[in-house]
Amino acid sequence: MMLMVPAQVRNASLRIVAIYAFFGAMWILVSDTVVGWLVSDPAILTRVALFKGWLFILLTSLLLYKLISSDNQKLARATALLQGSEERFHTIYDSLNDAIFIHDAETGRILDVNETACRLYGYGREELLSNGLQQLGTGEPPYSGAEALAWIQRCAEGTPQTFEWITTTRYSSRLWVEVSMRRATIDGENRIVVMVRDISERKRAEEQLSLQQAQLEELNRTLERRVNEAIAELRQKDELLLQQSRHAAMGRDAEQYRASVATTAQQHCNLRPEYAAAEGLSRADRRADSERCPEHHGNHQLHVEDHR
C-alpha cells in the first residue's frame, strides 16, 4: 500500500532541491568566470579547479546541513505537536462514556476499540479484536453477528444508522444498548465508527413506567365502574322517592277533593229549602227533597271514593 506524502513534507523537499540546484548553478557560472579572469597558467588553473571543487563540497555541505537542520527542527516541532494531539485524542477517546468500535467497512472486522468498550464488555482490547462480531450480539436473530454485519454494510453505503440492540457481556447475558454508526475515512481507508451506549437503566425505567401506566389505567377503570354503579344506585333512589312523592300528592288531592264535595253537598242541602219556599213548593215536596239530599250527598261520597 502506497502511503500518501503530506504536502508540507513534499514542499520542504522541493525547497531543498531548488536551493541546492540554484547554488550549484551560480557557483559553476561565477567561479569559472572569475578563475578565467585571474589565472591563465594551465598548471595553476588545475590546482585552482581542484581547490574550487573541494570548496564547493564544503559550502554545499554546510548549506545542506543548514537547510536540513532547519527542516528537522520544524519537523520535530510538528511531531511534538502531533504526539501531543494524539495523546489528547487518545485521552478523550478512552475517557468517553460511550464504547467506540472501529470496523472495516467491507468485512466488518473490528480494528480498534476504546477503554470504555473494554470496561462495558469485560474483555481486554486484544480479546475484543479477536472475538469479532459474534460477541456483539446474543448469537440469535435478530441480534446475531449476521445482523450486525448487515447494519455495518448499510452504513458503508453512506447512510448513518441508529438503532437499539441487545448484546452480551462477560457480566450479563442480556444488555440493552443504543448503537450509532457513521462512515469515516481514516488513513485513507473507509471505516465504520460505531458508538455503543448502555441504555439498560433507561429500559428498566421505561418498563417501570409502562407498569405504572397499566396500573393507573386499571385503577381508572375500577373508579369509573364504581362511579357508574353509584350513579345508577342514586338514580334508583331518586325514582323511588319520586314515586313516593307522587303517591303522597295524590292522597292529599283526594282528601281535599272529598272535603270539597262534602262541603258543596252540605251547602246545597242547606239552601234547598229556601229555594223550595221561594218557588211555593208544598210541605210534602220539601220533605221529599230533604230525603233526596242525603242520597245526593251519598253519591258525592261514592265519587270521592272512586277517585281515591
Side-chain angles (χ1 to χ4, degrees), residues 222-257:
T222 302
L223 291 175
E224 184 178 0
R225 184 176 63 254
R226 291 181 178 178
V227 169
N228 291 334
E229 292 174 354
I231 292 174
E233 183 178 357
L234 289 175
R235 286 177 177 174
Q236 291 177 355
K237 291 181 178 179
D238 288 342
E239 291 292 336
L240 181 60
L241 289 175
L242 182 60
Q243 292 177 3
Q244 293 176 351
S245 299
R246 288 176 178 174
H247 291 162
M250 291 175 63
R252 289 194 299 270
D253 292 343
E255 290 292 337
Q256 292 175 0
Y257 179 76

PDB file of all heavy atoms in Angstrom, residues 222-257:
ATOM      1  N   THR A 222     -61.515   0.858  37.355  1.00  0.00           N
ATOM      2  CA  THR A 222     -62.226   0.470  38.584  1.00  0.00           C
ATOM      3  C   THR A 222     -63.023   1.643  39.146  1.00  0.00           C
ATOM      4  O   THR A 222     -64.187   1.498  39.537  1.00  0.00           O
ATOM      5  CB  THR A 222     -61.214  -0.032  39.624  1.00  0.00           C
ATOM      6  OG1 THR A 222     -60.483  -1.145  39.086  1.00  0.00           O
ATOM      7  CG2 THR A 222     -61.918  -0.463  40.900  1.00  0.00           C
ATOM      8  N   LEU A 223     -62.390   2.820  39.205  1.00  0.00           N
ATOM      9  CA  LEU A 223     -63.088   4.006  39.708  1.00  0.00           C
ATOM     10  C   LEU A 223     -64.277   4.365  38.828  1.00  0.00           C
ATOM     11  O   LEU A 223     -65.355   4.727  39.336  1.00  0.00           O
ATOM     12  CB  LEU A 223     -62.109   5.184  39.782  1.00  0.00           C
ATOM     13  CG  LEU A 223     -61.017   5.095  40.851  1.00  0.00           C
ATOM     14  CD1 LEU A 223     -60.063   6.275  40.725  1.00  0.00           C
ATOM     15  CD2 LEU A 223     -61.620   5.053  42.247  1.00  0.00           C
ATOM     16  N   GLU A 224     -64.096   4.259  37.521  1.00  0.00           N
ATOM     17  CA  GLU A 224     -65.196   4.578  36.612  1.00  0.00           C
ATOM     18  C   GLU A 224     -66.366   3.612  36.819  1.00  0.00           C
ATOM     19  O   GLU A 224     -67.541   4.020  36.829  1.00  0.00           O
ATOM     20  CB  GLU A 224     -64.701   4.508  35.170  1.00  0.00           C
ATOM     21  CG  GLU A 224     -65.743   4.915  34.143  1.00  0.00           C
ATOM     22  CD  GLU A 224     -65.197   4.878  32.732  1.00  0.00           C
ATOM     23  OE1 GLU A 224     -63.996   4.527  32.571  1.00  0.00           O
ATOM     24  OE2 GLU A 224     -65.951   5.194  31.801  1.00  0.00           O
ATOM     25  N   ARG A 225     -66.048   2.312  37.012  1.00  0.00           N
ATOM     26  CA  ARG A 225     -67.110   1.335  37.252  1.00  0.00           C
ATOM     27  C   ARG A 225     -67.849   1.625  38.549  1.00  0.00           C
ATOM     28  O   ARG A 225     -69.079   1.574  38.614  1.00  0.00           O
ATOM     29  CB  ARG A 225     -66.505  -0.064  37.285  1.00  0.00           C
ATOM     30  CG  ARG A 225     -67.569  -1.162  37.424  1.00  0.00           C
ATOM     31  CD  ARG A 225     -66.973  -2.549  37.364  1.00  0.00           C
ATOM     32  NE  ARG A 225     -66.061  -2.796  38.475  1.00  0.00           N
ATOM     33  CZ  ARG A 225     -64.733  -2.825  38.382  1.00  0.00           C
ATOM     34  NH1 ARG A 225     -64.155  -2.607  37.208  1.00  0.00           N
ATOM     35  NH2 ARG A 225     -63.978  -3.063  39.436  1.00  0.00           N
ATOM     36  N   ARG A 226     -67.084   1.969  39.596  1.00  0.00           N
ATOM     37  CA  ARG A 226     -67.721   2.262  40.890  1.00  0.00           C
ATOM     38  C   ARG A 226     -68.572   3.525  40.819  1.00  0.00           C
ATOM     39  O   ARG A 226     -69.657   3.598  41.409  1.00  0.00           O
ATOM     40  CB  ARG A 226     -66.654   2.399  41.962  1.00  0.00           C
ATOM     41  CG  ARG A 226     -65.964   1.079  42.296  1.00  0.00           C
ATOM     42  CD  ARG A 226     -64.916   1.261  43.381  1.00  0.00           C
ATOM     43  NE  ARG A 226     -64.300  -0.014  43.725  1.00  0.00           N
ATOM     44  CZ  ARG A 226     -63.328  -0.138  44.618  1.00  0.00           C
ATOM     45  NH1 ARG A 226     -62.874   0.936  45.266  1.00  0.00           N
ATOM     46  NH2 ARG A 226     -62.800  -1.326  44.873  1.00  0.00           N
ATOM     47  N   VAL A 227     -68.077   4.527  40.113  1.00  0.00           N
ATOM     48  CA  VAL A 227     -68.850   5.762  39.967  1.00  0.00           C
ATOM     49  C   VAL A 227     -70.149   5.500  39.209  1.00  0.00           C
ATOM     50  O   VAL A 227     -71.225   5.994  39.583  1.00  0.00           O
ATOM     51  CB  VAL A 227     -67.996   6.832  39.256  1.00  0.00           C
ATOM     52  CG1 VAL A 227     -68.861   8.027  38.840  1.00  0.00           C
ATOM     53  CG2 VAL A 227     -66.872   7.310  40.167  1.00  0.00           C
ATOM     54  N   ASN A 228     -70.053   4.689  38.141  1.00  0.00           N
ATOM     55  CA  ASN A 228     -71.264   4.364  37.379  1.00  0.00           C
ATOM     56  C   ASN A 228     -72.265   3.594  38.234  1.00  0.00           C
ATOM     57  O   ASN A 228     -73.480   3.822  38.160  1.00  0.00           O
ATOM     58  CB  ASN A 228     -70.894   3.556  36.142  1.00  0.00           C
ATOM     59  CG  ASN A 228     -70.144   4.381  35.117  1.00  0.00           C
ATOM     60  OD1 ASN A 228     -70.291   5.603  35.067  1.00  0.00           O
ATOM     61  ND2 ASN A 228     -69.339   3.726  34.294  1.00  0.00           N
ATOM     62  N   GLU A 229     -71.757   2.659  39.057  1.00  0.00           N
ATOM     63  CA  GLU A 229     -72.645   1.922  39.944  1.00  0.00           C
ATOM     64  C   GLU A 229     -73.304   2.848  40.963  1.00  0.00           C
ATOM     65  O   GLU A 229     -74.502   2.720  41.263  1.00  0.00           O
ATOM     66  CB  GLU A 229     -71.858   0.822  40.666  1.00  0.00           C
ATOM     67  CG  GLU A 229     -71.384  -0.296  39.733  1.00  0.00           C
ATOM     68  CD  GLU A 229     -70.485  -1.287  40.455  1.00  0.00           C
ATOM     69  OE1 GLU A 229     -70.158  -1.029  41.633  1.00  0.00           O
ATOM     70  OE2 GLU A 229     -70.121  -2.314  39.843  1.00  0.00           O
ATOM     71  N   ALA A 230     -72.511   3.803  41.522  1.00  0.00           N
ATOM     72  CA  ALA A 230     -73.079   4.749  42.483  1.00  0.00           C
ATOM     73  C   ALA A 230     -74.129   5.639  41.833  1.00  0.00           C
ATOM     74  O   ALA A 230     -75.183   5.923  42.428  1.00  0.00           O
ATOM     75  CB  ALA A 230     -71.967   5.604  43.094  1.00  0.00           C
ATOM     76  N   ILE A 231     -73.864   6.063  40.596  1.00  0.00           N
ATOM     77  CA  ILE A 231     -74.825   6.904  39.883  1.00  0.00           C
ATOM     78  C   ILE A 231     -76.124   6.134  39.630  1.00  0.00           C
ATOM     79  O   ILE A 231     -77.238   6.656  39.798  1.00  0.00           O
ATOM     80  CB  ILE A 231     -74.225   7.412  38.569  1.00  0.00           C
ATOM     81  CG1 ILE A 231     -73.086   8.415  38.868  1.00  0.00           C
ATOM     82  CG2 ILE A 231     -75.278   8.057  37.688  1.00  0.00           C
ATOM     83  CD1 ILE A 231     -72.333   8.870  37.644  1.00  0.00           C
ATOM     84  N   ALA A 232     -75.981   4.858  39.211  1.00  0.00           N
ATOM     85  CA  ALA A 232     -77.173   4.044  38.959  1.00  0.00           C
ATOM     86  C   ALA A 232     -77.983   3.849  40.238  1.00  0.00           C
ATOM     87  O   ALA A 232     -79.228   3.907  40.228  1.00  0.00           O
ATOM     88  CB  ALA A 232     -76.751   2.690  38.388  1.00  0.00           C
ATOM     89  N   GLU A 233     -77.287   3.622  41.367  1.00  0.00           N
ATOM     90  CA  GLU A 233     -77.990   3.455  42.646  1.00  0.00           C
ATOM     91  C   GLU A 233     -78.713   4.733  43.047  1.00  0.00           C
ATOM     92  O   GLU A 233     -79.860   4.703  43.522  1.00  0.00           O
ATOM     93  CB  GLU A 233     -76.977   3.057  43.719  1.00  0.00           C
ATOM     94  CG  GLU A 233     -77.608   2.781  45.075  1.00  0.00           C
ATOM     95  CD  GLU A 233     -76.585   2.338  46.098  1.00  0.00           C
ATOM     96  OE1 GLU A 233     -75.401   2.202  45.726  1.00  0.00           O
ATOM     97  OE2 GLU A 233     -76.971   2.140  47.267  1.00  0.00           O
ATOM     98  N   LEU A 234     -78.055   5.882  42.834  1.00  0.00           N
ATOM     99  CA  LEU A 234     -78.704   7.156  43.151  1.00  0.00           C
ATOM    100  C   LEU A 234     -79.930   7.392  42.280  1.00  0.00           C
ATOM    101  O   LEU A 234     -80.953   7.923  42.743  1.00  0.00           O
ATOM    102  CB  LEU A 234     -77.702   8.296  42.986  1.00  0.00           C
ATOM    103  CG  LEU A 234     -76.594   8.379  44.039  1.00  0.00           C
ATOM    104  CD1 LEU A 234     -75.604   9.478  43.682  1.00  0.00           C
ATOM    105  CD2 LEU A 234     -77.186   8.644  45.438  1.00  0.00           C
ATOM    106  N   ARG A 235     -79.839   7.005  41.020  1.00  0.00           N
ATOM    107  CA  ARG A 235     -80.988   7.176  40.131  1.00  0.00           C
ATOM    108  C   ARG A 235     -82.157   6.317  40.585  1.00  0.00           C
ATOM    109  O   ARG A 235     -83.322   6.752  40.533  1.00  0.00           O
ATOM    110  CB  ARG A 235     -80.587   6.822  38.703  1.00  0.00           C
ATOM    111  CG  ARG A 235     -79.710   7.877  38.034  1.00  0.00           C
ATOM    112  CD  ARG A 235     -79.283   7.445  36.645  1.00  0.00           C
ATOM    113  NE  ARG A 235     -78.507   8.484  35.997  1.00  0.00           N
ATOM    114  CZ  ARG A 235     -77.911   8.334  34.813  1.00  0.00           C
ATOM    115  NH1 ARG A 235     -78.016   7.172  34.160  1.00  0.00           N
ATOM    116  NH2 ARG A 235     -77.218   9.326  34.294  1.00  0.00           N
ATOM    117  N   GLN A 236     -81.878   5.087  41.028  1.00  0.00           N
ATOM    118  CA  GLN A 236     -82.950   4.234  41.530  1.00  0.00           C
ATOM    119  C   GLN A 236     -83.613   4.845  42.761  1.00  0.00           C
ATOM    120  O   GLN A 236     -84.846   4.834  42.894  1.00  0.00           O
ATOM    121  CB  GLN A 236     -82.386   2.849  41.866  1.00  0.00           C
ATOM    122  CG  GLN A 236     -81.955   2.054  40.641  1.00  0.00           C
ATOM    123  CD  GLN A 236     -81.345   0.720  41.017  1.00  0.00           C
ATOM    124  OE1 GLN A 236     -81.170   0.431  42.191  1.00  0.00           O
ATOM    125  NE2 GLN A 236     -81.034  -0.091  40.004  1.00  0.00           N
ATOM    126  N   LYS A 237     -82.791   5.374  43.654  1.00  0.00           N
ATOM    127  CA  LYS A 237     -83.350   6.017  44.846  1.00  0.00           C
ATOM    128  C   LYS A 237     -84.170   7.240  44.477  1.00  0.00           C
ATOM    129  O   LYS A 237     -85.222   7.508  45.071  1.00  0.00           O
ATOM    130  CB  LYS A 237     -82.220   6.400  45.793  1.00  0.00           C
ATOM    131  CG  LYS A 237     -81.532   5.199  46.424  1.00  0.00           C
ATOM    132  CD  LYS A 237     -80.431   5.629  47.393  1.00  0.00           C
ATOM    133  CE  LYS A 237     -79.784   4.427  48.057  1.00  0.00           C
ATOM    134  NZ  LYS A 237     -78.700   4.826  48.996  1.00  0.00           N
ATOM    135  N   ASP A 238     -83.676   8.009  43.485  1.00  0.00           N
ATOM    136  CA  ASP A 238     -84.440   9.181  43.037  1.00  0.00           C
ATOM    137  C   ASP A 238     -85.789   8.765  42.466  1.00  0.00           C
ATOM    138  O   ASP A 238     -86.818   9.416  42.717  1.00  0.00           O
ATOM    139  CB  ASP A 238     -83.635   9.953  41.992  1.00  0.00           C
ATOM    140  CG  ASP A 238     -82.460  10.689  42.608  1.00  0.00           C
ATOM    141  OD1 ASP A 238     -82.469  10.877  43.844  1.00  0.00           O
ATOM    142  OD2 ASP A 238     -81.528  11.077  41.859  1.00  0.00           O
ATOM    143  N   GLU A 239     -85.810   7.671  41.674  1.00  0.00           N
ATOM    144  CA  GLU A 239     -87.078   7.200  41.108  1.00  0.00           C
ATOM    145  C   GLU A 239     -88.038   6.767  42.212  1.00  0.00           C
ATOM    146  O   GLU A 239     -89.246   7.059  42.165  1.00  0.00           O
ATOM    147  CB  GLU A 239     -86.804   6.025  40.160  1.00  0.00           C
ATOM    148  CG  GLU A 239     -86.078   6.410  38.872  1.00  0.00           C
ATOM    149  CD  GLU A 239     -86.960   7.250  37.976  1.00  0.00           C
ATOM    150  OE1 GLU A 239     -88.204   7.159  38.085  1.00  0.00           O
ATOM    151  OE2 GLU A 239     -86.409   8.012  37.146  1.00  0.00           O
ATOM    152  N   LEU A 240     -87.490   6.079  43.221  1.00  0.00           N
ATOM    153  CA  LEU A 240     -88.329   5.630  44.328  1.00  0.00           C
ATOM    154  C   LEU A 240     -88.911   6.814  45.100  1.00  0.00           C
ATOM    155  O   LEU A 240     -90.105   6.843  45.433  1.00  0.00           O
ATOM    156  CB  LEU A 240     -87.516   4.730  45.259  1.00  0.00           C
ATOM    157  CG  LEU A 240     -88.264   4.162  46.471  1.00  0.00           C
ATOM    158  CD1 LEU A 240     -89.449   3.307  46.023  1.00  0.00           C
ATOM    159  CD2 LEU A 240     -87.318   3.344  47.351  1.00  0.00           C
ATOM    160  N   LEU A 241     -88.067   7.802  45.389  1.00  0.00           N
ATOM    161  CA  LEU A 241     -88.550   8.994  46.101  1.00  0.00           C
ATOM    162  C   LEU A 241     -89.591   9.742  45.281  1.00  0.00           C
ATOM    163  O   LEU A 241     -90.577  10.266  45.822  1.00  0.00           O
ATOM    164  CB  LEU A 241     -87.361   9.911  46.425  1.00  0.00           C
ATOM    165  CG  LEU A 241     -86.392   9.405  47.498  1.00  0.00           C
ATOM    166  CD1 LEU A 241     -85.198  10.356  47.615  1.00  0.00           C
ATOM    167  CD2 LEU A 241     -87.097   9.301  48.850  1.00  0.00           C
ATOM    168  N   LEU A 242     -89.370   9.783  43.959  1.00  0.00           N
ATOM    169  CA  LEU A 242     -90.328  10.467  43.095  1.00  0.00           C
ATOM    170  C   LEU A 242     -91.676   9.767  43.105  1.00  0.00           C
ATOM    171  O   LEU A 242     -92.736  10.414  43.186  1.00  0.00           O
ATOM    172  CB  LEU A 242     -89.762  10.543  41.681  1.00  0.00           C
ATOM    173  CG  LEU A 242     -90.626  11.268  40.642  1.00  0.00           C
ATOM    174  CD1 LEU A 242     -90.858  12.724  41.063  1.00  0.00           C
ATOM    175  CD2 LEU A 242     -89.962  11.217  39.271  1.00  0.00           C
ATOM    176  N   GLN A 243     -91.647   8.419  43.047  1.00  0.00           N
ATOM    177  CA  GLN A 243     -92.910   7.684  43.103  1.00  0.00           C
ATOM    178  C   GLN A 243     -93.616   7.894  44.427  1.00  0.00           C
ATOM    179  O   GLN A 243     -94.839   8.083  44.483  1.00  0.00           O
ATOM    180  CB  GLN A 243     -92.632   6.200  42.878  1.00  0.00           C
ATOM    181  CG  GLN A 243     -92.171   5.868  41.466  1.00  0.00           C
ATOM    182  CD  GLN A 243     -91.844   4.402  41.301  1.00  0.00           C
ATOM    183  OE1 GLN A 243     -92.008   3.616  42.244  1.00  0.00           O
ATOM    184  NE2 GLN A 243     -91.398   4.028  40.106  1.00  0.00           N
ATOM    185  N   GLN A 244     -92.847   7.851  45.525  1.00  0.00           N
ATOM    186  CA  GLN A 244     -93.460   8.082  46.837  1.00  0.00           C
ATOM    187  C   GLN A 244     -94.052   9.483  46.929  1.00  0.00           C
ATOM    188  O   GLN A 244     -95.135   9.686  47.495  1.00  0.00           O
ATOM    189  CB  GLN A 244     -92.427   7.869  47.935  1.00  0.00           C
ATOM    190  CG  GLN A 244     -91.964   6.424  48.072  1.00  0.00           C
ATOM    191  CD  GLN A 244     -90.874   6.252  49.099  1.00  0.00           C
ATOM    192  OE1 GLN A 244     -90.337   7.252  49.596  1.00  0.00           O
ATOM    193  NE2 GLN A 244     -90.528   5.010  49.411  1.00  0.00           N
ATOM    194  N   SER A 245     -93.361  10.460  46.375  1.00  0.00           N
ATOM    195  CA  SER A 245     -93.876  11.829  46.384  1.00  0.00           C
ATOM    196  C   SER A 245     -95.159  11.942  45.582  1.00  0.00           C
ATOM    197  O   SER A 245     -96.112  12.631  45.982  1.00  0.00           O
ATOM    198  CB  SER A 245     -92.820  12.781  45.822  1.00  0.00           C
ATOM    199  OG  SER A 245     -91.650  12.748  46.620  1.00  0.00           O
ATOM    200  N   ARG A 246     -95.221  11.237  44.464  1.00  0.00           N
ATOM    201  CA  ARG A 246     -96.436  11.282  43.638  1.00  0.00           C
ATOM    202  C   ARG A 246     -97.610  10.648  44.382  1.00  0.00           C
ATOM    203  O   ARG A 246     -98.730  11.172  44.369  1.00  0.00           O
ATOM    204  CB  ARG A 246     -96.188  10.558  42.315  1.00  0.00           C
ATOM    205  CG  ARG A 246     -95.261  11.324  41.362  1.00  0.00           C
ATOM    206  CD  ARG A 246     -94.979  10.501  40.129  1.00  0.00           C
ATOM    207  NE  ARG A 246     -94.146  11.239  39.193  1.00  0.00           N
ATOM    208  CZ  ARG A 246     -93.649  10.709  38.061  1.00  0.00           C
ATOM    209  NH1 ARG A 246     -93.921   9.437  37.754  1.00  0.00           N
ATOM    210  NH2 ARG A 246     -92.907  11.447  37.273  1.00  0.00           N
ATOM    211  N   HIS A 247     -97.362   9.505  45.043  1.00  0.00           N
ATOM    212  CA  HIS A 247     -98.449   8.858  45.791  1.00  0.00           C
ATOM    213  C   HIS A 247     -98.935   9.748  46.927  1.00  0.00           C
ATOM    214  O   HIS A 247    -100.148   9.863  47.186  1.00  0.00           O
ATOM    215  CB  HIS A 247     -97.956   7.522  46.343  1.00  0.00           C
ATOM    216  CG  HIS A 247     -97.715   6.497  45.277  1.00  0.00           C
ATOM    217  ND1 HIS A 247     -96.959   5.372  45.469  1.00  0.00           N
ATOM    218  CD2 HIS A 247     -98.129   6.454  43.970  1.00  0.00           C
ATOM    219  CE1 HIS A 247     -96.935   4.670  44.365  1.00  0.00           C
ATOM    220  NE2 HIS A 247     -97.631   5.311  43.424  1.00  0.00           N
ATOM    221  N   ALA A 248     -98.012  10.371  47.638  1.00  0.00           N
ATOM    222  CA  ALA A 248     -98.404  11.257  48.728  1.00  0.00           C
ATOM    223  C   ALA A 248     -99.220  12.438  48.209  1.00  0.00           C
ATOM    224  O   ALA A 248    -100.214  12.859  48.810  1.00  0.00           O
ATOM    225  CB  ALA A 248     -97.163  11.738  49.483  1.00  0.00           C
ATOM    226  N   ALA A 249     -98.786  12.999  47.059  1.00  0.00           N
ATOM    227  CA  ALA A 249     -99.507  14.131  46.476  1.00  0.00           C
ATOM    228  C   ALA A 249    -100.916  13.721  46.050  1.00  0.00           C
ATOM    229  O   ALA A 249    -101.892  14.455  46.232  1.00  0.00           O
ATOM    230  CB  ALA A 249     -98.721  14.687  45.296  1.00  0.00           C
ATOM    231  N   MET A 250    -101.043  12.497  45.479  1.00  0.00           N
ATOM    232  CA  MET A 250    -102.367  12.008  45.069  1.00  0.00           C
ATOM    233  C   MET A 250    -103.275  11.826  46.282  1.00  0.00           C
ATOM    234  O   MET A 250    -104.485  12.103  46.231  1.00  0.00           O
ATOM    235  CB  MET A 250    -102.224  10.692  44.302  1.00  0.00           C
ATOM    236  CG  MET A 250    -101.565  10.848  42.934  1.00  0.00           C
ATOM    237  SD  MET A 250    -101.285   9.267  42.121  1.00  0.00           S
ATOM    238  CE  MET A 250    -102.983   8.725  41.947  1.00  0.00           C
ATOM    239  N   GLY A 251    -102.725  11.332  47.422  1.00  0.00           N
ATOM    240  CA  GLY A 251    -103.529  11.164  48.635  1.00  0.00           C
ATOM    241  C   GLY A 251    -104.042  12.496  49.159  1.00  0.00           C
ATOM    242  O   GLY A 251    -105.205  12.629  49.555  1.00  0.00           O
ATOM    243  N   ARG A 252    -103.188  13.489  49.168  1.00  0.00           N
ATOM    244  CA  ARG A 252    -103.610  14.818  49.638  1.00  0.00           C
ATOM    245  C   ARG A 252    -104.676  15.398  48.722  1.00  0.00           C
ATOM    246  O   ARG A 252    -105.656  16.009  49.164  1.00  0.00           O
ATOM    247  CB  ARG A 252    -102.393  15.742  49.715  1.00  0.00           C
ATOM    248  CG  ARG A 252    -101.431  15.402  50.866  1.00  0.00           C
ATOM    249  CD  ARG A 252    -100.444  16.538  51.098  1.00  0.00           C
ATOM    250  NE  ARG A 252     -99.629  16.763  49.917  1.00  0.00           N
ATOM    251  CZ  ARG A 252     -98.465  16.155  49.699  1.00  0.00           C
ATOM    252  NH1 ARG A 252     -98.002  15.259  50.575  1.00  0.00           N
ATOM    253  NH2 ARG A 252     -97.769  16.423  48.614  1.00  0.00           N
ATOM    254  N   ASP A 253    -104.528  15.221  47.411  1.00  0.00           N
ATOM    255  CA  ASP A 253    -105.527  15.732  46.461  1.00  0.00           C
ATOM    256  C   ASP A 253    -106.891  15.059  46.692  1.00  0.00           C
ATOM    257  O   ASP A 253    -107.958  15.703  46.616  1.00  0.00           O
ATOM    258  CB  ASP A 253    -105.060  15.490  45.036  1.00  0.00           C
ATOM    259  CG  ASP A 253    -103.843  16.352  44.692  1.00  0.00           C
ATOM    260  OD1 ASP A 253    -103.596  17.339  45.428  1.00  0.00           O
ATOM    261  OD2 ASP A 253    -103.142  16.028  43.696  1.00  0.00           O
ATOM    262  N   ALA A 254    -106.848  13.738  46.956  1.00  0.00           N
ATOM    263  CA  ALA A 254    -108.113  13.024  47.174  1.00  0.00           C
ATOM    264  C   ALA A 254    -108.829  13.527  48.425  1.00  0.00           C
ATOM    265  O   ALA A 254    -110.060  13.705  48.429  1.00  0.00           O
ATOM    266  CB  ALA A 254    -107.843  11.517  47.285  1.00  0.00           C
ATOM    267  N   GLU A 255    -108.075  13.739  49.503  1.00  0.00           N
ATOM    268  CA  GLU A 255    -108.671  14.253  50.740  1.00  0.00           C
ATOM    269  C   GLU A 255    -109.284  15.628  50.515  1.00  0.00           C
ATOM    270  O   GLU A 255    -110.391  15.922  50.974  1.00  0.00           O
ATOM    271  CB  GLU A 255    -107.610  14.312  51.835  1.00  0.00           C
ATOM    272  CG  GLU A 255    -107.156  12.949  52.339  1.00  0.00           C
ATOM    273  CD  GLU A 255    -108.244  12.228  53.101  1.00  0.00           C
ATOM    274  OE1 GLU A 255    -109.158  12.917  53.608  1.00  0.00           O
ATOM    275  OE2 GLU A 255    -108.208  10.984  53.175  1.00  0.00           O
ATOM    276  N   GLN A 256    -108.533  16.460  49.812  1.00  0.00           N
ATOM    277  CA  GLN A 256    -109.042  17.801  49.538  1.00  0.00           C
ATOM    278  C   GLN A 256    -110.309  17.750  48.667  1.00  0.00           C
ATOM    279  O   GLN A 256    -111.278  18.492  48.885  1.00  0.00           O
ATOM    280  CB  GLN A 256    -107.960  18.637  48.860  1.00  0.00           C
ATOM    281  CG  GLN A 256    -106.769  18.952  49.772  1.00  0.00           C
ATOM    282  CD  GLN A 256    -105.662  19.682  49.035  1.00  0.00           C
ATOM    283  OE1 GLN A 256    -105.787  19.944  47.832  1.00  0.00           O
ATOM    284  NE2 GLN A 256    -104.585  20.010  49.759  1.00  0.00           N
ATOM    285  N   TYR A 257    -110.296  16.828  47.691  1.00  0.00           N
ATOM    286  CA  TYR A 257    -111.452  16.726  46.806  1.00  0.00           C
ATOM    287  C   TYR A 257    -112.693  16.231  47.578  1.00  0.00           C
ATOM    288  O   TYR A 257    -113.806  16.736  47.413  1.00  0.00           O
ATOM    289  CB  TYR A 257    -111.127  15.789  45.651  1.00  0.00           C
ATOM    290  CG  TYR A 257    -112.269  15.596  44.685  1.00  0.00           C
ATOM    291  CD1 TYR A 257    -112.607  16.590  43.760  1.00  0.00           C
ATOM    292  CD2 TYR A 257    -113.024  14.421  44.708  1.00  0.00           C
ATOM    293  CE1 TYR A 257    -113.652  16.404  42.883  1.00  0.00           C
ATOM    294  CE2 TYR A 257    -114.064  14.234  43.837  1.00  0.00           C
ATOM    295  CZ  TYR A 257    -114.387  15.227  42.919  1.00  0.00           C
ATOM    296  OH  TYR A 257    -115.442  15.044  42.047  1.00  0.00           O
TER     297      TYR A 257
END
